[in-house]
Amino acid sequence: MRLLNYIFIVSLILFTSAVTAGVIRVPQDQSTIQAGIDAAIDGDTVLVDTGRYVENINFNGMNIVVGSQFLTTRDTSYISQTVIDGDSSGSVATFENGEDSTAVLTGFTLTNGLALWGGGILCDASSTPSLVGLNVTRNRASGGGGIYCYESSPTLVDITVSGNIADAIGGGISCTNSHPSLQNVRVNGNVAHHGGALFCELSNPNLRNVTIIGNTAGSGGAIHSLSSSPTLVNVTISRNTAEVGSGIWCWLNSRPRLVNTILWNESGEEIYFVQSGEPNSITIAYSDVFGGESGIATNDNGTVNWFDGNVDRDPLFVDAENGDFHLQQGSPCIDAGTAFFVFDGDTLVDLPASSYEGYAPDMGSYESPYSVGITDESILAIQFALKHPHPNPFNPTTTIEFYTPQSGQVILTINDLLGREVGTILKKRMDAGHHKVQWNATNVPSGIYFVKMQTGSFSLVKKVTVLR
């Protein structure tokens, strides 16, 4: 549910492009995809029938849509039926002339590419294409077996990057001086010397609802971070292996940030800081980390910002042996994430209640249909919880529900967008259990506020809107 609105908007844009701009059909109008691209002008669509196309395509700076029948039908079966085979003759698809986000590649399987950089897809020279609904598989390169980004920031949505090989860096995806966005992406079964799934150098990729499974490397089985600050929100990282750092490997002032994430590799170090060079840091909140904070190998060369909501418990995947990393009913990761999180002035998570089931988002890349439920005693035994106030937006009163697994003083305060406290709703000792209080906002102006629950060293925040 988290990405349905985003994907719907992307789909609508792609469909509108296909029916309103000039359409070049392959093979009816042009015999090859590249011929279709060469015949197009900005805003056109190259619509490709099913089949296997043995060629290497280059957008050549054209801001056009190149898509299979998936583009107009949204039928995902067309992705496997429409194959671009690179014939081991270079990158399968290349963007290297400043293409922007209206340059779209969608609905294909890209395979058998062989190149120095980017066996499947090469993004270079400030290109920012939109890559939607693709299967990038069985390609090879020195850097970026599947996808290589150099000084470029593509958007990847609904993509699988699997079974690719990098002889050096980034078996699945490699980024240098780049800031790609990955949403609803699965990176699995890739191999590299550094960064089995993802290699980052001087890059700040943004990963949301990403699954990183079964990748292998010498260092950084899942992610190799070099002077980079990747942000991971609702990401599942599991069953990756490496000689050093099966999960995330950090060097030279790397600063990963993890929220609502499962990091459960069960072999080697989940997080590893290289002992030399500039110190690293990692920020972790509302995440399930195998071995907990003590399992992080900092090697006295960095800091761990270990925030509220973190656990070290078996996430109870449905069938990890067969590649199903959804959560079983009863998983400790269900309703255990947060819908809102700010770190160092940067809002990393801000999810509407309609985007998840239950009273809070789940950890990991897949939102479960299950919920702990407000009457489930299990939640009271394991964690504090603060529900979204309801109604929201509201005028003038809203109800705030919270849970405490043990007795103690609870403080509920209201803060404005600048962090200034504008009022205290509750400050008293509460018994363990489920509680409700009301906030009457008659005396505050319309706007966005934050309800903060504090008990001991534990705190939670929810966003509310007063609407007159």
Side-chain angles (χ1 to χ4, degrees), residues 14-353:
L14 298 184
F15 178 78
T16 302
S17 298
V19 298
T20 60
V23 177
I24 299 169
R25 297 182 180 275
V26 177
Q28 294 91 335
D29 301 327
Q30 299 289 339
S31 60
T32 67
I33 301 172
Q34 187 62 54
I37 294 171
D38 294 342
I41 61 173
D42 283 351
D44 280 353
T45 294
V46 178
L47 189 60
V48 182
D49 271 359
T50 58
R52 192 175 194 91
Y53 298 83
V54 182
E55 55 181 307
N56 308 88
I57 66 172
N58 191 320
F59 271 55
N60 289 322
M62 301 301 298
N63 291 315
I64 60 176
V65 176
V66 177
S68 71
Q69 295 294 338
F70 166 76
L71 173 63
T72 54
T73 66
R74 315 317 298 164
D75 182 345
T76 57
S77 69
Y78 283 108
I79 297 173
S80 60
Q81 294 178 59
T82 317
V83 179
I84 309 179
D85 184 334
D87 195 31
S88 299
S89 299
S91 302
V92 180
T94 299
F95 302 85
E96 59 181 356
N97 290 282
E99 296 89 352
D100 64 24
S101 61
T102 62
V104 180
L105 182 65
T106 182
F108 296 96
T109 293
L110 279 63
T111 191
N112 201 23
L114 178 63
L116 181 61
W117 306 109
I121 300 173
L122 171 63
C123 297
D124 197 359
S126 301
S127 61
T128 58
S130 299
L131 309 173
V132 182
L134 300 173
N135 183 14
V136 183
T137 184
R138 297 183 180 179
N139 302 282
R140 187 164 190 161
S142 177
I147 301 171
Y148 182 75
C149 306
Y150 181 77
E151 295 184 349
S152 62
S153 300
T155 297
L156 285 64
V157 179
D158 243 8
I159 287 181
T160 297
V161 183
S162 65
N164 302 283
I165 298 174
D167 298 315
I169 56 176
I173 302 169
S174 184
C175 309
T176 300
N177 290 314
S178 300
H179 314 298
S181 170
L182 284 68
Q183 303 187 58
N184 199 28
V185 171
R186 184 179 177 97
V187 190
N188 63 280
N190 303 282
V191 178
H193 189 59
H194 301 298
L198 177 63
F199 177 89
C200 309
E201 180 180 7
L202 299 170
S203 299
N204 304 320
N206 193 321
L207 284 66
R208 294 178 184 268
N209 300 102
V210 172
T211 308
I212 301 176
I213 303 297
N215 302 278
T216 303
S219 61
I223 299 174
H224 187 292
S225 179
L226 172 60
S227 303
S228 297
S229 300
T231 297
L232 286 68
V233 176
N234 287 110
V235 174
T236 296
I237 301 175
S238 187
R239 301 208 163 197
N240 302 281
T241 57
E243 295 175 14
V244 182
S246 60
I248 303 174
W249 186 96
C250 300
W251 189 30
L252 295 178
N253 193 28
S254 283
R255 302 173 302 279
R257 304 180 296 184
L258 284 65
V259 186
N260 296 351
T261 288
I262 298 172
L263 192 60
W264 200 264
N265 291 290
E266 303 176 286
S267 65
E269 307 89 355
E270 294 293 340
I271 299 162
Y272 182 88
F273 291 178
V274 176
Q275 53 266 49
S276 61
E278 296 178 71
N280 306 283
S281 69
I282 192 164
T283 299
I284 307 175
Y286 299 94
S287 295
D288 188 4
V289 180
F290 184 80
E293 186 177 8
S294 62
I296 300 173
T298 64
N299 294 309
D300 296 322
N301 192 34
T303 58
V304 176
N305 300 312
W306 188 261
F307 282 89
D308 296 327
N310 294 320
V311 297
D312 171 18
R313 302 182 67 197
D314 187 339
L316 298 179
F317 297 125
V318 169
D319 189 1
E321 290 291 338
N322 292 300
D324 189 345
F325 288 85
H326 288 78
L327 301 175
Q328 296 181 35
Q329 188 171 10
S331 164
C333 298
I334 293 175
D335 287 2
T338 181
F340 185 79
F341 187 80
V342 176
F343 176 72
D344 201 20
D346 190 4
T347 300
L348 303 183
V349 182
D350 188 3
L351 297 173

